[in-house]
Amino acid sequence: MSRLLENLNPEQLAAVTLPAQSGLILAGAGSGKTRVLTTRIAWLLQTGQVSQAGILAVTFTNKAAKEMLTRLGAMLPINTRGMWIGTFHGLCNRFLRAHYREAALPQTFQILDTADQLAAIKRLLKVLNVDDEKFPPRELQHFINGNKEAGFRPHAVEAWDDYTRRRVELYAEYDAQCQREGVCDFPELLLRAYELLERNEPIRRHYQARFRHLLVDEFQDTNRLQYLWLKLIAGHATPTPAAVFAVGDDDQSIYGFRGAEVGNMRDFEREFQVPAVIRLEQNYRSHGNILDAANAIIANNSKRLGKNLWTDQGSGEPIRVYEAVADLDEARWIVEEIQQLVREGAARSDIALLYRSNAQSRVLEHQLFSLGIPYRVYGGLRFFERQEIKHALAYLRLMANPDDDTAFVRVVNFPTRGIGARSLEQLQDAARTYNTSLYAAVSQLAGKPAQAIGAFIRLIEEMRLTTRELRLPEMVDHILDASGLRAHYKAEREGEERLANLDELINAATNFISEDSTPAEGEEVVAGDPLSRFLAHASLEAGEHQADAGQEAVQLMSVHAAKGLEFDVVFITGLEDGLFPHENSITELDGLEEERRLMYVAVTRARKRLYMSLAQSRMLHGQTRFAIKSRFFEEIPAELLKWLTPRVQQGFGAVHTPTRNEAYAGSRANAPRQANRDLGGFRIGQSVRHAKFGSGVIVSAEGSGADARVQVNFGAGVGMKLLALGVAKLEAE
DNA sequence: CAGCCTCACTTTTTT
DNA sequence: AGTGAGGCTG
């Protein structure tokens, strides 16, 4: 036991050994958050305060859940299977499978991922003859999920205008459709679980009595419904509530755009009567200068619980900043710098390139690729989201649940078997008339459509019969052939990769079987047949897109994707106003504060060395855009920054001689050119200063001489202005 | 009914 | 630039 608590600092120790009551741990970046969380669980078990079955731990990603299990396994010689550790959605799925009857779901209910949900909404609008111009499916999806995540069923939504009233009706229709088809979207898993607990007293009492310790990771990312669910399962209103141990960092809340409510932290502190918030402020990750920069940036936010990171490591190196003329030059410079670092002995996998939006990775990738530097990009298409995999899964879903219309529509004519829009329309009508699923409505059809679709039904039935005795991998193998998917992709020109992925699906099934059905001692069997469980797994765990992450390669990812990770060397790229902070964020409520937190996350990823870079011009959506440097530079104390490019009239900081004169000069030739005009000494792409609007960049020009007018981008906030050179007094900057 | 072409879209992302 | 969706033609 004592070994467990060794090497914890006083605050960490206080958190780990907190008495059995609710506690809020404000854990700064790099302060040992995961360690505290897992050590707390180990300590609770080892001191006999709770049994394994009494623990419920929630994370946001499967990766985090897995990591927690791994670390626990290393700390304690126990089987971790008795505990409920997983994501909100994973745990609710488990709960609903165990109580599917009480939840009014079919035993084989399927889970719709985001794309499936969108397809289901489109189908609904079509059936109901709703104009999808007036009610864009994406917007409706956002509306439905937003309400579900706030805990509102259609009847509870307040609608003051006709438009919203209609959306609420469609929300209700959508829910009815899902119920008919026996499917749940992501927020539905949570809402359904919540409602069941609320409504069913015996079940509620059972779980409230069972889970005595609830532990929540990344609490700042919880949405309203998740908070309510925690409150309920903790028995917050009962005489004997469970102890909730919440760990989070309000400064790292970067998912407000998808419904996370930082306010949950304050509410939690109040409603759960947290005696004292424990702050973990010692950072074990970054050198002093990096931390100082991060602290300085985040200090500009007004809505904070308050926290200041410190380190006992030295201040280390200054932050190196490079301003390139164009995105290509930025990429070139970064790659040169990486080559130098590698020559000096740095491991490529310890170097990360971060960007605000994924579109920025292209130039960087191109440059890395052409110089033969191994790299890995995070956050592309994930395995179970690939077209061919979704097709194969749709066949499996139909076998498990014929009422799943989303799956039906997806593959009824894929590979093509002569079933067109006309036939499908007739089928939709029949299904509507007899209030059945598409699958069941086929028997009502007559004529040609009946034949073609009837053959499809027989195909599915035949698959079900033949595979009834087969194990999951063999079942998958069989349907790949019987459906014609294999043949289809074999015939396709670029189909090799898709074929390989289909084979990989068989492997995934094999792995799933071996992991899923190891009957651990005393473990409750998760309800449902293997096929349904596999399909749920496929939806909930779309697949680690970083399959072989261990490779010795430079890491490329968005800042969002970098949360929770750390690297020796970090490059934050594209630090231009309008890109980072993103222009869309300026108009959003608290948008700039979230961008700042994003910047804070980016900076605190670095252990030893931090680079920041920007480009004066950048290709975006096929067009060259000009921008000025990010406003975040002004928020970092000048003495922490070392400009590697000359900053003329910077107004702060020293002017440094360019260390890469040749790169800078050489890139000039690549700067965008336009027809030569007389712009009174100004040129396109030039940085200028306006008395009222501040710093900007000349984006385009019209006319010449005395009539010349220029369009100037003053960055997010002020935006684009058209100025007559003869009138506006512009200064070169 | 199926393949081809044009058009609009494009922040961040997990489940 | 690259993609997905919808419309048109064979």
Side-chain angles (χ1 to χ4, degrees):
Chain A
M1 205 265 273
S2 53
R3 194 172 303 157
L4 252 191
L5 305 179
E6 262 170 33
N7 299 324
L8 292 175
N9 69 34
E11 293 76 29
Q12 291 175 331
L13 184 68
V16 166
T17 59
L18 202 70
Q21 63 192 1
S22 288
L24 178 61
I25 316 301
L26 213 50
S31 65
K33 178 196 68 161
T34 312
R35 181 164 177 222
V36 164
L37 211 43
T38 46
T39 312
R40 165 87 174 166
I41 296 177
W43 180 78
L44 286 171
L45 290 170
Q46 221 171 58
T47 52
Q49 297 184 58
V50 67
S51 70
Q52 287 178 47
I55 287 189
L56 179 107
V58 208
T59 61
F60 270 83
T61 63
N62 293 299
K63 202 172 144 201
K66 232 172 253 166
E67 160 126 17
M68 201 182 275
L69 281 170
T70 313
R71 289 219 202 174
L72 261 178
M75 280 183 194
L76 296 174
I78 52 154
N79 188 332
T80 49
R81 283 273 189 132
M83 293 177 272
W84 277 40
I85 295 185
T87 63
F88 278 101
H89 295 86
L91 295 173
C92 287
N93 173 53
R94 183 172 179 177
F95 173 75
L96 290 174
R97 299 239 170 240
H99 303 286
Y100 68 94
R101 276 193 207 89
E102 294 90 338
L105 285 169
Q107 187 169 16
T108 58
F109 76 86
Q110 302 300 315
I111 299 165
L112 300 185
D113 68 17
T114 313
D116 295 332
Q117 185 188 28
L118 190 63
I121 290 172
K122 285 182 182 167
R123 197 155 38 77
L124 178 80
L125 295 183
K126 207 163 202 174
V127 170
L128 296 182
N129 251 322
V130 176
D131 183 359
D132 60 5
E133 301 260 298
K134 273 193 198 131
F135 297 91
R138 280 188 178 284
E139 199 275 336
L140 200 56
Q141 180 179 35
H142 187 75
F143 176 81
I144 291 172
N145 289 350
N147 277 303
K148 285 192 183 188
E149 278 165 2
F152 296 138
R153 286 294 180 193
H155 64 81
V157 181
E158 290 189 352
W160 302 107
D161 55 287
D162 288 344
Y163 179 62
T164 306
R165 266 190 286 278
R166 184 70 181 128
R167 286 194 297 177
V168 171
E169 282 172 27
L170 292 171
Y171 174 12
E173 291 275 4
Y174 166 78
D175 263 3
Q177 174 180 289
C178 289
Q179 184 62 32
R180 226 175 17 246
E181 298 176 9
V183 294
C184 285
D185 55 47
F186 284 134
E188 182 70 26
L189 288 173
L190 276 126
L191 186 52
R192 215 27 97 130
Y194 172 77
E195 288 171 344
L196 177 55
L197 278 174
E198 191 184 40
R199 190 179 59 229
N200 190 312
E201 193 178 336
I203 292 182
R204 182 175 69 242
R205 282 180 181 252
H206 169 79
Y207 285 98
Q208 285 177 343
R210 171 181 171 167
F211 297 123
R212 299 316 299 156
H213 283 272
L214 271 53
L215 300 99
V216 194
D217 192 15
E218 307 277 14
F219 192 76
Q220 78 281 353
D221 288 339
T222 50
N223 62 36
R224 203 63 210 162
L225 181 56
Q226 286 159 343
Y227 181 72
L228 293 173
W229 183 84
L230 283 169
K231 216 165 134 179
L232 191 56
I233 205 160
H236 171 260
T238 66
T240 53
V244 182
F245 188 82
V247 183
D249 181 359
D250 55 323
D251 289 336
Q252 291 187 70
S253 157
I254 54 174
Y255 287 111
F257 71 94
R258 65 169 198 221
E261 303 230 11
V262 210
N264 284 343
M265 295 184 88
R266 278 227 158 89
D267 290 351
F268 175 75
E269 193 183 343
R270 195 183 67 246
E271 295 190 310
F272 285 72
Q273 281 117 38
V274 173
V277 177
I278 297 179
R279 285 177 162 73
L280 305 183
E281 297 178 301
Q282 182 173 3
N283 174 294
Y284 295 94
R285 181 185 294 159
S286 310
H287 284 166
N289 283 343
I290 295 171
L291 224 46
D292 288 348
N295 282 334
I297 291 165
I298 202 68
N300 289 284
N301 271 4
S302 58
K303 292 177 186 164
R304 296 183 67 205
L305 295 178
K307 181 167 44 56
N308 216 20
L309 288 182
W310 61 275
T311 178
D312 58 12
Q313 301 186 46
S315 53
E317 305 171 355
I319 298 166
R320 294 167 166 81
V321 189
Y322 186 81
E323 178 167 5
V325 171
D327 48 358
L328 189 65
D329 305 292
E330 184 194 21
R332 272 195 201 132
W333 172 77
I334 289 170
V335 171
E336 261 179 56
E337 203 68 31
I338 289 174
Q339 285 180 314
Q340 182 60 34
L341 286 164
V342 171
R343 271 196 296 273
E344 288 165 6
R348 277 187 290 270
S349 56
D350 274 331
I351 302 174
L353 269 51
L354 308 185
Y355 33 79
R356 176 64 179 84
S357 65
N358 286 310
Q360 290 167 245
S361 75
R362 202 161 220 97
V363 215
L364 298 168
E365 283 184 67
H366 181 80
Q367 207 51 230
L368 288 163
F369 184 82
S370 56
L371 288 171
I373 300 174
Y375 66 91
R376 156 156 250 100
V377 187
Y378 286 72
L381 243 201
R382 297 150 82 220
F383 182 69
F384 285 108
E385 286 169 358
R386 286 165 201 277
Q387 183 208 95
E388 62 275 19
I389 299 300
K390 296 219 76 167
H391 281 134
L393 290 175
Y395 280 100
L396 294 170
R397 274 166 58 170
L398 271 183
M399 288 162 59
N401 174 11
D403 294 337
D404 188 337
D405 286 358
T406 303
F408 186 97
V409 171
R410 183 169 193 106
V411 290
V412 66
N413 196 34
F414 193 94
T416 49
R417 33 178 87 89
I419 299 168
R422 287 285 286 250
S423 310
L424 266 185
E425 218 162 281
Q426 282 185 41
L427 186 62
Q428 299 268 22
D429 289 345
R432 188 91 185 133
T433 312
Y434 295 97
N435 194 27
T436 64
S437 65
L438 296 173
Y439 197 92
V442 176
S443 58
Q444 306 295 338
L445 289 183
K448 258 192 189 161
Q451 296 217 324
I453 309 182
F456 175 70
I457 299 286
R458 281 195 298 282
L459 174 68
I460 300 293
E461 295 294 339
E462 192 268 339
M463 284 177 177
R464 206 199 322 265
L465 271 176
T466 343
T467 59
R468 199 160 42 187
E469 303 294 318
L470 295 182
R471 285 160 48 86
L472 202 49
E474 286 84 41
M475 185 190 277
V476 176
D477 193 30
H478 176 82
I479 68 107
L480 290 183
D481 281 326
S483 63
L485 281 176
R486 266 218 182 95
H488 174 87
Y489 288 117
K490 223 168 239 165
E492 210 175 63
R493 276 177 295 115
E494 313 265 319
E496 293 90 6
E497 197 187 334
R498 297 196 193 272
L499 275 176
N501 283 333
L502 288 175
D503 283 334
E504 192 54 40
L505 184 63
I506 302 176
N507 289 341
T510 311
N511 291 339
F512 177 78
I513 292 274
S514 67
E515 275 175 32
D516 177 65
S517 59
T518 331
E521 216 175 309
E523 186 202 350
E524 309 142 76
V525 179
V526 181
D529 57 301
L531 179 55
S532 294
R533 285 206 304 274
F534 178 62
L535 291 171
H537 164 83
S539 302
L540 290 173
E541 209 168 325
E544 306 297 278
H545 36 281
Q546 57 264 35
D548 40 351
Q551 202 201 340
E552 185 33 29
V554 176
Q555 317 278 306
L556 274 71
M557 66 194 83
S558 70
V559 180
H560 283 89
K563 190 167 90 154
L565 306 177
E566 56 180 84
F567 308 90
D568 280 348
V569 182
V570 169
F571 288 82
I572 306 176
T573 72
L575 277 165
E576 296 129 43
D577 230 50
L579 193 61
F580 198 178
H582 197 280
E583 53 198 344
N584 294 0
S585 71
I586 305 297
T587 49
E588 282 166 27
L589 188 66
D590 298 329
L592 192 62
E593 296 223 342
E594 182 145 319
E595 293 291 305
R596 198 173 276 119
R597 290 192 291 269
L598 202 50
M599 184 66 187
Y600 175 76
V601 168
V603 170
T604 52
R605 296 311 96 194
R607 282 195 283 251
K608 298 177 185 155
R609 185 181 281 202
L610 181 60
Y611 290 92
M612 296 181 180
S613 63
L614 66 142
Q616 292 166 354
S617 77
R618 178 178 298 279
M619 276 292 267
L620 208 61
H621 313 316
Q623 278 188 332
T624 306
R625 305 210 332 178
F626 298 88
I628 57 173
K629 68 178 198 294
S630 170
R631 63 188 68 186
F632 292 145
F633 280 117
E634 257 99 313
E635 299 179 359
I636 305 172
E639 65 270 21
L640 299 179
L641 299 178
K642 180 178 174 188
W643 289 85
L644 302 177
T645 36
R647 297 292 304 170
V648 186
Q649 295 173 11
Q650 194 58 48
F652 59 91
V655 174
H656 295 268
T657 2
T659 53
R660 295 182 182 277
N661 232 328
E662 30 355 290
Y664 186 68
S667 62
R668 281 235 145 166
N670 296 320
R673 281 169 191 280
Q674 281 202 6
N676 275 332
R677 307 171 186 274
D678 173 16
L679 296 175
F682 292 104
R683 60 177 170 79
I684 291 177
Q686 182 174 10
S687 296
V688 292
R689 169 162 286 280
H690 184 272
K692 190 165 149 207
F693 302 132
S695 304
V697 174
I698 300 180
V699 169
S700 65
E702 53 193 56
S704 69
D707 297 328
R709 291 192 299 169
V710 290
Q711 208 175 14
V712 183
N713 182 2
F714 288 102
V718 179
M720 212 72 96
K721 298 281 177 201
L722 189 63
L723 304 168
L725 278 179
V727 180
K729 287 185 204 73
L730 286 181
E731 286 171 32
E733 195 179 43

